[in-house]
Amino acid sequence: QVQLEESGGGSVQPGGSLRLSCAASEYTFSKYHMAWVRQRPGKAREAVAALDKYDRITYADFVKGRFTISKDNAKNTLDLQMNSLKPEDTAMYYCAADPNLQYLSPTYTYWGQGTQVTVSS
């Protein structure tokens, strides 16, 4: 069973930065493909960045150049560095994992509880 726990959310002004972190259970990254998925108020879930177990990275167009996904295998953490944040980035952000390649599909199997990001002046 995969365990995922997000942290690092909060409130920030437009143009600001936040770094989200996902603590994963051991061996998760060698077995599962990972992603950060968000759900904005009243909207469907959408993947923002994916990092598969082969270390290939994919970003949604709306975050390219602003967000960076990375992982630390020694610490079992998956991070999302978010820069130049916009009000439309306000959402609950989830760490997700799946044994099958999902890329930017939001249909991952395993989910954390989420961490809220609010971008507002």
Side-chain angles (χ1 to χ4, degrees), residues 18-58:
L18 280 175
R19 188 176 185 90
L20 306 183
S21 188
C22 171
S25 47
E26 199 173 11
Y27 307 119
T28 295
F29 299 152
S30 63
K31 297 179 180 179
Y32 297 93
H33 307 288
M34 308 297 297
W36 283 97
V37 179
R38 72 184 185 186
Q39 187 163 23
R40 296 183 291 166
K43 303 288 187 180
R45 287 184 176 181
E46 55 187 0
V48 300
L51 197 164
D52 68 27
K53 66 179 183 181
Y54 309 114
D55 292 338
R56 296 175 301 193
I57 292 174
T58 309

Side-chain angles (χ1 to χ4, degrees), residues 4-6 22-23 34-37 78 93-97 110-112 114:
L4 305 168
E5 184 172 358
E6 303 92 338
C22 171
M34 308 297 297
W36 283 97
V37 179
L78 180 77
Y93 284 75
Y94 298 91
C95 177
Y110 300 103
W111 298 82

